[in-house]
C-alpha cells in the first residue's frame, strides 16, 4: 500500500486558504490552553478572539434573543407548550403553534428550498424593506450565507476559464471557495482614501485584464456593508454597478449579510441591490445573500440564511434546486426495540407478498429501510416506455403513482444492469395491508394492460 | 445584456441527477395539492411518499426520542431549566448542564471539527461498538452524512482522471456528488442472486477497465447495510475488501449510516470496517460515515452526523479541517437598539484612538463589525518578517497576540495592495478601555522595537 499524501489530493483544495482560521487562530488556542496551567509566564491573563465576531462565544456571552429561543425550544419539544402556557408570552406560543402546524416535526426533511411558510415570511420582510414585491419561489433557505455562496459559485464556475470579480480586501470565504471550485479571482481594489469606496474604473480595469488573458468573467461579488471594511455603498455607485453588470452580462452576487449592522443609518443608510435593480427595471441576474449570524440575531452556530434569486430564468433556478446540497435521505427512526421488531416484521411480510406476485422477485433485506424488488416487465410496457423516452421502471413508477398515490424510486436512479428493472420502496408506511394491497392490485392491472 | 442560460453554467452541474427528488417526487407534490380540491377525480385519497424514508414527516408522525428533544429544548433556552426542574427527568437536566458548561451558547461558532466533548462521546461510542480505541481527533462532526461524503469526494477527486468505485445499485448521492466534482464513477455490480452481495471479481474487473482507460482509481465506496438493497456484508468479504484496498492503494469510504437498522441481528450482525481494519492491522485509509437521520434517531431534518478518519496522516487530516465547509464568519448580534448604539459608539471610539496612533490610519466604518486599520511598519519590521518568511502584518498580529492575547486577522488574508499592511479587528470585545489600551501600548512598543 502506497500511503495517501497531500500530493494525491485535489490540488484545488491545497490552494484553499482561510485566514480567519489560520496560524493566528491556532496559536490563540494554544495560549488559551497554556493560560490554564499555573506559572504559564504569559504577559496577559486572557485571550481575546477579535479575529472572529462570535458574540455568543464564552467570555462575550451575549444573550440570544429571547423570543427566537423560546419559539425554538417549543419546536424542539412541542409538549413543552403545556408547561409554559401562561408563563411565556402568548405570541411565543402562537408563533410556535403556527410553525408546528406548517412544519410538523423539525426532525423531518423539508422542501429542498426550505419550509414554504418561512420563505413567505422572508419574502414579506424583503417587500417591506424594498417597497418592491418578492416571490417566495425566488427564496432559497440555506445553512448560513456561506452555503449559499458556495452553491452559487459552484454553479457559475466552469473550470478552467471562469473569472469572478471580487473586491480587495474581501472576506476570505470568496478566495477559498474560488480555489475549491477552480474559479479565477478577478480582484478589484477598493479605495481606502475614499473610505473603502468601490470604483467602477478598478472593475473595468479588471475586466479588461481578464479579456486579455482569455478569462471569461461570469459574476461580480459586492460585499455591502463591507467585510472587512465596514464601508457602505451609495445609490449612484450601486446603479452604476448594475449597469456595468448589464453591459458585461455579469451575475451580481450581493453579500448583504450586514444590512442591519448600521452605525449611522441617517447619513449612511443601507440600500439593497434588489431595490436598485427593480427601480432601474434592470434584467441583471442578482443573488442577494443574508444570514441569521449577523444583524440583531447573531446566531452563527445555528447556520441559517437565505438567498433571493432575482431575474433568473426558471430553467436556471431549477438547477439550483436539484443540487445535492440539500440532499434528502431515506431513513428510519424508532424509539424502542418494539419498533425495530415491527419494521423487521413489516419488511419480511412485504417481501413475501411482493415475491408472490408474477414477474416480481425481491431480496428480503436484513437491514436498512427498503425493499428493492426486480420487475420483469412485458415487452409492450418496455416499448411504451421507449416511445415516451422514459426508462421502463420510470413508466411503472409513474403509473403506480397515478393509480395509487404511492411514490417510489425507479431503479434507473440507482443504476442497474442493462435490461433490468427495479424500484425502491421504503417499509415505513402505515397500514401495511392497505399499502401492499394497493401495490398488488396495481401490479396485476399493469401486467394485464401491457400483456 | 445576454440572458443567463444553463449553457452558461458549470456543465458538471447539468450532469447532477438526483432520482430521489426527481420527476416522481415533483408529480407526487402536484397530486398532493390536487387532492385538496374537491372533485379532483384522482383514484386515491392520499399520496404516500415511499420514495423518501422520512419518519417524522406529516402523515407518519413518528415521535422523536423524548430525551434528545428535552435536552435540545434546554440547549435552546437555558433558563427553561428552572421551569422543568423536578418535572423532567434529572438525567435530562444533567446532560443539558454538562453540554451548556462545555459549549456555552449553541448560537456561537464552534470548533471546525465540532464540539470537543461531543467528539469524545462519539469516540466512546465507537470504542464500545468495536472493542478498539477511537481518537476524538479523528472524528469530524458534519451536517448529516451527505456533507461528509461531499467533503471527502471533493478532496479526493482531481479532475479529470480520478475514478471512484461505487456499487450498483447505489444511493444517488454518490453519482450526484461525483458529477458535481467531475469524478469518474467506476461502477461495480452487486449480485442480486446472492442477496445483493458484494463480489471482489466485479471490483477487480472495474479496476482493470479503469486502468485500460487511463483512469486513476482513488477510492472504494461501500454502503453497508446497503441502500437501496438492505444487504449486509459478512466479515470475510469485508476483510477481502480491505486487502483489495491495500493492494490498489485505495481509500475506503464506508457509508455505515444504517448500522443500527438491523432486522435479524442474530444471523445478520453489523461489523464496522473500523473493527476489521484494526483487527487486520491494516494501513488502509478508512473514512466511516454515520448520521443522526437513521437508526433509532431519525432526525433527518436536523442535519447531524460524523465521519471517523482512520489511518490518515496528520497532514491529510489537516486539509479536511481547513476546508470552508465549516466556514466561520465574524458577526455581531444585538437584541435592541441600545446594543446597536453601543457598537456604533465603540467603533467610533476605537477608530478615533487607533487613528491617533503613529503610523496607523483607520477608516471609521459605518457598518458591519470591524475596523480595518492600515499600518505603516518600520523597515526593520518588514525585514524581520521577510527573514521569517511571513507577511509583515502577520508578524505584527503574531506579536500582538503574544504580547496581549488579542487575536486579529492580518490584512494579507483579505488581499491588499503590494507594500500595504492592515489588520482586521472586531469591535465586539468587552471593556473598550482595557482592550484599546492594550492595543495602543503594544503598537508603541512594536514601533520602538523596530525603529
Amino acid at each position: 500500500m502506497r500511503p495517501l499524501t497531500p500530493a494525491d489530493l485535489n490540488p484545488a483544495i491545497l490552494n484553499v486558504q482561510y485566514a480567519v482560521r489560520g496560524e493566528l487562530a491556532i496559536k490563540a488556542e494554544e495560549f488559551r490552553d497554556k493560560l490554564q496551567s499555573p506559572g504559564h509566564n504569559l504577559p496577559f491573563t486572557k485571550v481575546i478572539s477579535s479575529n472572529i465576531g462570535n458574540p455568543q462565544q464564552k467570555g462575550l456571552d451575549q444573550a440570544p434573543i429571547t423570543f427566537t429561543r423560546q419559539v425554538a425550544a417549543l419546536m424542539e419539544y412541542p409538549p413543552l407548550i403545556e408547561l409554559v402556557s401562561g408563563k411565556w408570552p402568548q405570541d411565543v406560543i402562537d408563533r410556535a403553534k403556527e410553525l408546528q402546524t406548517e412544519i410538523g416535526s423539525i426532525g423531518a426533511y423539508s422542501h429542498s428550498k426550505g419550509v414554504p411558510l418561512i420563505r413567505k415570511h422572508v419574502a414579506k420582510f424583503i417587500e417591506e424593506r424594498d417597497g418592491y414585491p418578492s416571490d417566495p419561489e425566488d427564496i432559497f433557505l440555506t445553512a448560513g450565507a456561506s452555503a449559499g455562496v458556495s452553491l452559487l459559485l459552484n454553479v457559475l464556475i466552469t473550470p478552467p476559464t471562469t473569472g469572478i470579480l471580487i473586491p480587495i480586501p474581501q472576506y476570505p470565504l470568496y478566495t477559498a471557495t474560488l480555489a475549491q471550485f477552480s474559479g479565477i479571482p478577478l480582484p478589484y481594489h477598493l479605495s481606502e482614501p475614499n473610505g473603502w469606496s468601490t470604483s467602477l474604473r478598478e472593475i473595468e480595469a479588471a475586466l479588461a485584464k481578464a479579456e486579455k488573458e482569455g478569462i471569461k468573467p461570469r459574476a461580480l461579488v459586492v460585499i455591502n456593508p463591507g467585510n472587512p471594511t465596514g464601508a457602505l455603498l451609495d445609490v449612484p455607485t450601486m446603479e452604476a454597478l448594475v449597469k456595468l453588470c448589464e453591459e458585461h452580462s455579469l451575475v451580481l452576487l450581493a453579500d448583504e449579510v450586514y444590512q442591519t449592522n448600521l452605525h449611522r443609518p441617517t447619513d449612511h443608510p443601507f440600500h439593497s441591490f434588489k431595490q436598485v435593480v427593480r427601480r432601474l427595471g434592470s434584467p441583471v441576474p442578482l443573488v442577494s445573500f443574508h444570514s441569521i449570524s449577523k444583524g440583531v440575531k447573531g446566531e452563527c452556530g445555528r447556520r441559517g440564511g437565505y438567498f433571493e434569486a432575482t431575474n433568473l430564468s426558471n430553467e436556471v433556478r431549477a438547477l439550483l434546486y436539484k443540487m445535492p446540497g440539500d440532499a434528502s435521505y431515506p431513513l428510519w427512526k424508532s424509539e424502542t426495540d418494539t419498533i425495530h421488531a415491527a419494521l423487521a416484521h413489516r419488511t419480511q411480510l412485504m417481501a413475501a407478498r411482493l415475491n408472490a406476485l408474477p414477474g416480481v422477485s425481491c431480496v428480503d433485506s436484513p437491514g436498512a429501510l427498503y425493499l428493492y424488488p426486480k420487475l420483469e416487465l412485458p415487452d409492450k410496457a418496455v416499448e411504451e416506455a421507449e416511445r415516451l423516452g422514459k426508462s421502463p421502471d420510470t413508466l411503472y413508477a409513474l403509473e403506480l403513482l397515478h393509480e395509487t398515490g404511492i411514490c417510489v424510486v425507479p431503479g434507473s436512479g440507482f443504476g442497474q444492469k442493462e435490461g433490468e428493472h427495479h424500484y425502491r420502496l421504503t417499509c415505513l408506511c402505515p397500514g401495511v395491508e392497505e399499502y401492499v394491497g394497493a401495490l398488488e392490485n396495481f401490479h396485476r392491472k399493469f401486467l394485464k394492460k401491457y400483456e
Side-chain angles (χ1 to χ4, degrees), chain A:
Chain A
M1 163 119 224
R2 203 170 37 73
L4 187 75
T5 70
D8 296 317
L9 305 182
N10 182 351
I13 299 305
L14 303 178
N15 292 331
V16 173
Q17 287 295 339
Y18 218 53
V20 178
R21 287 206 190 255
E23 181 182 6
L24 269 290
I26 290 164
K27 196 58 164 174
E29 276 311 311
E30 279 176 34
F31 282 154
R32 203 165 268 135
D33 284 349
K34 206 169 171 188
L35 283 173
Q36 304 293 325
S37 57
H40 54 67
N41 249 338
L42 290 173
F44 45 85
T45 56
K46 61 171 183 276
V47 172
I48 300 174
S49 290
S50 284
N51 55 329
I52 297 186
N54 190 5
Q56 294 188 26
Q57 73 183 306
K58 286 183 186 181
L60 298 180
D61 297 314
Q62 275 201 53
I65 292 176
T66 304
F67 177 83
T68 314
R69 291 303 194 89
Q70 287 181 334
V71 172
L74 292 172
M75 294 307 290
E76 287 289 353
Y77 191 61
L80 182 59
I81 283 194
E82 281 163 43
L83 255 173
V84 302
S85 272
K87 290 179 180 127
W88 285 3
Q90 190 57 38
D91 56 350
V92 166
I93 290 161
D94 292 347
R95 178 66 66 92
K97 281 186 177 161
E98 183 194 13
L99 289 170
Q100 282 165 10
T101 306
E102 172 79 11
I103 298 172
S105 169
I106 56 169
Y109 289 123
S110 61
H111 192 286
S112 284
K113 284 160 78 168
V115 174
L117 180 70
I118 296 176
R119 286 190 282 129
K120 267 182 217 161
H121 286 179
V122 170
K124 192 162 162 273
F125 152 76
I126 293 171
E127 278 179 20
E128 285 167 4
R129 182 193 68 190
D130 295 340
Y132 289 91
S134 169
D135 181 350
E137 288 307 305
D138 289 341
I139 311 291
F140 294 68
L141 304 185
T142 57
S146 328
V149 168
S150 173
L151 172 62
L152 262 292
L153 289 180
N154 188 193
V155 167
L156 290 174
I157 292 166
T158 304
T161 55
T162 301
I164 306 287
L165 289 152
I166 55 170
I168 297 294
Q170 50 97 40
Y171 186 64
L173 167 69
Y174 292 95
T175 37
T177 312
L178 286 177
Q180 188 188 2
F181 297 125
S182 303
I184 301 166
L186 305 174
Y188 63 93
H189 280 272
L190 305 178
S191 170
E192 188 166 8
N194 298 307
W196 293 114
S197 70
T198 298
S199 142
L200 272 281
R201 254 205 338 250
E202 280 278 347
I203 299 176
E204 275 158 359
L207 283 168
K209 187 161 172 282
E211 201 183 350
K212 224 180 274 171
E213 291 167 356
I215 299 164
K216 290 180 196 130
R218 168 75 67 233
L220 169 67
V221 172
V222 180
I223 311 177
N224 182 44
N227 180 1
T229 65
L232 263 157
L233 290 177
D234 56 31
V235 172
T237 305
M238 294 173 78
E239 290 178 350
L241 289 170
V242 168
K243 280 170 190 157
L244 179 138
C245 287
E246 282 184 26
E247 202 180 316
H248 295 273
S249 296
L250 296 172
V251 177
L252 179 52
L253 300 177
D255 180 336
E256 299 178 321
V257 300
Y258 294 101
Q259 58 188 264
T260 60
N261 292 104
L262 304 176
H263 309 324
R264 302 190 290 277
T266 322
D267 39 307
H268 284 91
F270 168 78
H271 298 276
S272 74
F273 267 108
K274 171 79 181 301
Q275 190 188 46
V276 172
V277 161
R278 282 290 184 250
R279 193 166 48 225
L280 293 175
S282 166
V284 160
L286 164 70
V287 183
S288 161
F289 302 92
H290 201 8
S291 169
I292 63 166
S293 301
K294 323 295 174 191
V296 293
K297 299 273 189 300
E299 295 279 13
C300 7
R302 312 301 305 274
R303 312 311 306 139
Y306 76 79
F307 64 83
E308 184 188 24
T310 304
N311 289 336
L312 285 192
S313 68
N314 287 342
E315 224 177 342
V316 169
R317 218 173 45 184
L319 282 171
L320 297 176
Y321 168 55
K322 74 166 188 171
M323 283 286 291
D326 299 274
S328 183
Y329 277 118
L331 74 106
W332 170 250
K333 127 89 188 67
S334 76
E335 194 150 13
T336 66
D337 288 347
T338 323
I339 301 184
H340 270 300
L343 179 62
H345 176 71
R346 198 186 289 162
T347 304
Q348 224 166 351
L349 183 78
M350 285 172 64
R353 287 184 55 171
L354 287 170
N355 272 317
L357 285 171
V360 178
S361 64
C362 178
V363 169
D364 174 15
S365 84
L369 307 175
Y370 317 101
L371 287 171
Y372 193 58
K374 178 152 89 172
L375 299 170
E376 276 171 48
L377 297 178
D379 291 347
K380 276 190 190 156
V382 175
E383 284 156 20
E384 173 66 5
E386 260 168 34
R387 206 182 58 75
L388 296 169
K390 294 183 189 306
S391 67
D393 44 24
T394 301
L395 174 76
Y396 184 91
L398 273 172
E399 294 201 9
L400 176 67
L401 174 62
H402 277 263
E403 293 281 325
T404 65
I406 298 173
C407 187
V408 299
V409 183
S412 44
F414 299 100
Q416 55 197 349
K417 288 186 189 145
E418 186 66 31
E420 290 194 348
H421 319 295
H422 294 83
Y423 68 93
R424 189 191 77 170
L425 79 169
T426 67
C427 307
L428 288 170
C429 54
V432 178
E433 188 48 48
E434 182 196 343
Y435 177 65
V436 180
L439 284 174
E440 288 168 341
N441 286 337
F442 164 77
H443 184 76
R444 293 207 173 86
K445 273 170 67 182
F446 184 90
L447 290 190
K448 191 168 251 171
K449 180 175 169 188
Y450 291 105
E451 79 181 353

